[in-house]
Amino acid sequence: MCSIAARERLKYMCCRCCSKTQQKIWVFGTASIFLVMGLVGIILGRSYFTDMVYKMLPLKEGGRTYDKWVETPVPIYMAMYLYNWTNTDQVKVRGVKPNFERVGPYVFREERHKKNITWYPNNTVSFMPQRYWYFEPEMSGGTLEDNITCPHLPTIAASTIARDFPKVIKIFFNIALNSNGGALYQTHTADEWLFKGFYDEFLDYAMKLNNSMTGDIKDNHFAWFLHRNGSADFEGIFTINTGAADLREMGELKFWNGVNHTGFFEGECGRVNGSTSDLFVPNRGPEEWITIFMKDTCRIINLVPSARETILGIEGIRYETKPDTYDSGTLNPDMKCYCPPELMPDNCPKHGATDIRSCADGAPMFMSHPGFLYADPSYANTTTGTRADPDKDVFFITMEPKLGVPLDVNVAIQISLHITPDSDITLLKGIPSFYAPLFTINSIGKMTPEIAKEVKLALNLADIFFYTSIAMLCLGILIASIGIYVQIAQKWYEPIGDERTIMDNH
């Protein structure tokens, strides 16, 4: 140690307490450490931290992705629009088109959970989705007590099944329909149409018959989402890849209810694939598509990159549906398999709407963009009152492609019912053929500032370390330069006393 007097005299010049050899060791040793750390960081830092981030992404119990997958942290809202049939009294007046007014939105906050999670050794995991919906009156454009007049789906569905029956049987069917609650339309509250449900006389009658004409009716109440709120088994069992072996497969759907083909559409159109919209493949190329599997319509939806957007400081790619999304071979021959076999080859639906009757127990229902956006005019021209709004009816997902994190989502679809006349069925006699819009779903999700901070940190971690490494390299060069200058100029501090004595004291 330096003497007390020396320390008092040179208390701010610690280097003078050291020998020249020690000063050189400290200066050049420190410079070497910064130089090595800086060089290693510049050469290996980016790839190391990028790999570190990607290693955290695969789905595993207790991992960084797991908690956000089990219960979605981003607020999701389902905006439901219903269509009020305003001129039902004129349905049989020649030349008058049915008029439907879009009513709503009725906005529900959606909570998503995963139940019965089971892990498998082949890097897959199965689960049952559970969703809860809570009405948000402040965000809605109507109340759940609004009265809405809609086509009576049970009547139309049963009439469609009976359409090709022998005339004698259709006569008895018509009598039964008119005597047991059959109707072309009914009026109920928005709550009853959506979740609450209402007693339906015709369904009660059909449930008691339980024959080939009525099908397997399990409930005498009706609603578009009857028994869905809080159900853990309605959507079935999904099996997805965890990405543990191959990150390019993370979130990819492998099986739905244990099979890899829905059976509702033929060939590739019925194959189970894509994302369940909870996880997406990271490190996606700028030209790659996004594929989503939608259980309710038994089919996939492809979205293609359309533009770049910056949301909360994060750059993402906007993926959208396109005019041939709901094609049946008219615009894209590869989508011919969406045409029902009984309508091939010459009577397939025109582009813009998918016939989903095979997924809807035979009811002539169609899936499309809201307002028949991008569709052949023959769909929308059968009715009046509502037209597409390109600003809110577009189906898109804006995603950060490196991590596969959605930034802004608007899943917009419309379900319609094709109603056609039938001279043997009183309720359908003399009416025009038209596509009646039933409801539109807009599933909306936006990145929160809290989640955005985590995403930006993960995205910038490699850059932060890279520029820190540059700073360390520069600092190492600066310290080494100073040491070289001092060495050449022989300006090292002269040690106090004999070096050997000082070293011994140390």
Side-chain angles (χ1 to χ4, degrees), residues 53-61 63-66 242-247 250 279 282:
V53 170
Y54 283 141
K55 285 179 180 179
M56 293 189 298
L57 292 182
L59 186 61
K60 60 182 178 181
E61 198 165 7
R64 294 294 298 270
T65 304
Y66 180 77
T242 63
D246 185 355
L247 202 57
M250 188 179 80
L279 285 178

Side-chain angles (χ1 to χ4, degrees), residues 254-270:
K254 298 301 179 182
F255 300 102
W256 177 38
N257 291 327
V259 296
N260 61 3
H261 198 282
T262 66
F264 294 111
F265 299 101
E266 296 188 340
E268 283 296 301
C269 293

Side-chain angles (χ1 to χ4, degrees), residues 370-428:
F372 293 110
L373 181 69
Y374 304 139
D376 186 279
S378 60
Y379 293 105
N381 288 344
T382 62
T383 62
T384 60
T386 300
R387 288 295 179 264
D389 183 345
D391 292 331
K392 66 180 179 182
D393 292 338
V394 65
F395 187 142
F396 72 86
I397 296 177
T398 300
M399 180 180 298
E400 195 293 306
K402 293 181 181 178
L403 301 180
V405 178
L407 306 175
D408 191 9
V409 176
N410 185 51
V411 176
I413 63 171
Q414 176 178 300
I415 301 299
S416 304
L417 184 65
H418 188 203
I419 301 177
T420 55
D422 191 312
S423 58
D424 297 321
I425 299 175
T426 306
L427 294 171
L428 302 179

Side-chain angles (χ1 to χ4, degrees), residues 1-18:
M1 297 290 291
C2 295
S3 66
I4 296 176
R7 280 189 294 163
E8 285 295 319
R9 186 161 49 90
L10 302 170
K11 60 182 177 180
Y12 298 113
M13 301 174 64
C14 293
C15 284
R16 298 199 61 179
C17 298
C18 304

